[in-house]
Amino acid sequence: MTRAAGVAIVTGASRGIGRAIAAGLAATGYRIVLSYRDRAQQANDLVTKIRAAGGEAVPVRADVGQPAEADALVRAALDAFGHVDVLVNNAGVHLPGVPLVAVRWEEWERLLRVNLSGPLRLIQAVIPHMRERKRGHIVNISSNVSQRLPAGNGPYTVSKVGLEALTRILAKEEGPHGIRVNAIAPGPIRTDMLEESLEVMGSERAEAFIRSVPLGRTGQPEEIASVVAFLVSDAASYITGQVIYVNGGGPGG
């Protein structure tokens, strides 16, 4: 894969999948604007590592569930580097183990703001600049819960189903402007979020869940990052409006 020379915003980049995506894109030559909400030290550590390897990166604190902060994140990227080539909507929150009828309204609204409304707000902010340059890439990080529709994970699942619909519609609307839009739906990837979900399941159910993956293991964040790097490369120039499942064959639980 040839080295890029663009600018990428990666949300939720202080840990887990987002951190791996930011590091992976930096390794291919992208200048990175990485957003975080609470983990300033982890975000700054990643910036230091990217710069030490010869790359460019800036950290921006932003709660993408707040429209003004989402807008400010895009402005910060434009101020730092002049344009945006890639937007990776990775930031997300979940609420495992709570039946839909028991979800508090404020929890429902917060989750949808971060997981669905936040990505749309960021997209609306970057699209005019991408249209001006007649090119751009948007990658939305979904989840394979959109296929499984598991009980006890309703708000998160609804948000990801919505994100995938947004992806497909946006790809049709923005394709004529040279902008490609895709989503990645990870299966169980070894992150803090997965650990929290497995803890809610209990050890027996959690072990059965992992065993149900045909490849027999959880994935690593870097395995998602490599697919992001592919989707924003010229090698994927005819791919848009797709949801790529990176899930070891799909958990059965």
Side-chain angles (χ1 to χ4, degrees):
M1 192 177 295
T2 58
R3 287 184 66 81
V7 177
I9 297 174
V10 183
T11 67
S14 63
R15 63 173 181 163
I17 290 173
R19 186 181 184 90
I21 291 170
L25 291 178
T28 69
Y30 275 97
R31 291 170 285 174
I32 306 297
V33 178
L34 58 94
S35 82
Y36 66 95
R37 190 183 68 182
D38 300 319
R39 296 171 176 82
Q41 185 61 55
Q42 289 174 276
N44 288 323
D45 286 348
L46 178 57
V47 168
T48 299
K49 290 179 180 178
I50 290 172
R51 291 174 177 170
E56 295 182 65
V58 294
V60 179
R61 190 205 170 277
D63 179 348
V64 299
Q66 300 297 327
E69 295 190 31
D71 292 345
L73 172 59
V74 174
R75 286 197 303 272
L78 294 172
D79 289 345
F81 298 122
H83 62 274
V84 176
D85 299 280
V86 172
L87 169 63
V88 181
N89 282 311
N90 166 76
V93 294
H94 71 153
L95 187 67
V98 181
L100 277 170
V101 295
V103 174
R104 296 200 307 270
W105 193 249
E106 59 270 25
E107 292 174 327
W108 171 267
E109 289 190 323
R110 167 65 179 159
L111 195 144
L112 290 181
R113 279 201 310 271
V114 174
N115 292 5
L116 184 55
S117 299
L120 177 58
R121 185 75 176 205
L122 288 164
I123 288 165
Q124 290 175 330
V126 301
I127 283 291
H129 306 282
M130 290 181 174
R131 283 182 174 182
E132 283 182 10
R133 305 179 77 231
K134 295 182 171 54
R135 65 179 184 272
H137 307 286
I138 296 169
V139 180
N140 296 317
I141 305 301
S142 181
S143 167
N144 81 168
V145 296
S146 63
Q147 273 191 330
R148 294 172 45 235
L149 304 177
N153 214 0
Y156 183 76
T157 299
V158 168
S159 73
K160 295 304 186 180
V161 170
L163 190 63
E164 292 182 10
L166 182 154
T167 298
R168 293 187 170 105
I169 294 167
L170 194 69
K172 294 175 182 178
E173 294 175 348
E174 298 304 325
H177 300 285
I179 300 165
R180 294 195 290 109
V181 188
N182 292 289
I184 297 173
I189 305 299
R190 190 56 68 176
T191 63
D192 293 345
M193 185 177 287
L194 176 65
E195 293 302 325
E196 290 164 5
S197 295
L198 295 179
E199 185 175 345
V200 169
M201 287 183 186
S203 60
E204 187 172 329
R205 282 185 59 215
E207 290 173 9
F209 174 72
I210 300 303
R211 285 198 304 270
S212 74
V213 177
L215 289 185
R217 65 174 177 87
T218 57
Q220 296 299 321
E222 291 75 16
E223 292 176 292
I224 305 302
S226 65
V227 181
V228 173
F230 166 69
L231 286 175
V232 303
S233 74
D234 290 341
S237 60
Y238 202 52
I239 300 175
T240 194
Q242 303 305 305
V243 179
I244 311 298
Y245 288 88
V246 186
N247 60 5

